Amino acid sequence: GAVVSQHPSWVICKSGTSVKIECRSLDFQATTMFWYRQFPKQSLMLMATSNEGSKATYEQGVEKDKFLINHASLTLSTLTVTSAHPEDSSFYICSARAGREAGEQFFGPGTRLTVL
Amino acid sequence: GQNIDQPTEMTATEGAIVQINCTYQTSGFNGLFWYQQHAGEAPTFLSYNVLDGLEEKGRFSSFLSRSKGYSYLLLKELQMKDSASYLCAAMDSNYQLIWGAGTKLIIKP
């Protein structure tokens, strides 16, 4: 099956710093990538959808200036958490889909962010 | 509004069969997904149904009734490693996945 990688797997940072998370599709071209956040014992919460070469579409309540998404190529999307605060500590997961309307999303392994 | 309902938690015995139900309400419908998620890990794909009926894949089967807005995931010959959360997700008319909260499945020896 298709493989999606995420880097880093986990990160600990100080409050006020910015953290960048990379999501790569390793063996297919991802026209669409998704960024999710998941708090402990809760379901996935979609943060934004990004299509290659265009601006990301953010879900209601997600601050686009705080969570910067760049989908610069068909194999790479980045999420930057700017001026991170302890309440941003969460499990961030990306997924990728080969087409805008294709079915299955392939998930990356996730990034656990802890903000001190 | 759009909504997915599934039980919060279920318990079953090793070697037995368990059925996890999911009901959905979405704006348009382009299929129903089931994912498995172990604690601390990302979800992994289990099944996709877009037509009515049962899709069997080894020990796991998934059923869909579009007219009833209903799906279930059937797990046979349960193993301890099947202990996980099972996420139901429906794809709406914009090809966006609407996620359920997940069903935590506990397998007892």
Side-chain angles (χ1 to χ4, degrees), chain B residues 82-95:
Chain B
D82 297 330
S83 293
S85 287
Y86 291 85
L87 306 175
C88 172
M91 184 173 279
D92 68 11
S93 58
N94 294 319
Y95 298 94

Side-chain angles (χ1 to χ4, degrees), chain A residues 36 38 43-44 46 49 59 91 93 97 100-105 107-110 112, chain B residues 33 35 37 40-45 48 87 91 94-97 99-102 104:
Chain A
Y36 294 88
Q38 187 175 36
S43 189
L44 298 172
L46 179 66
T49 301
E59 295 300 302
F91 192 43
I93 311 172
R97 194 166 70 189
R100 292 175 192 262
E101 300 175 358
E104 184 181 346
Q105 292 183 24
F107 283 87
R112 188 159 301 283
Chain B
F33 293 79
Y35 282 83
Q37 186 177 24
E41 299 180 10
T44 56
F45 171 79
Y48 171 67
L87 306 175
M91 184 173 279
N94 294 319
Y95 298 94
Q96 184 125 303
L97 281 181
W99 292 88
K104 182 178 180 180

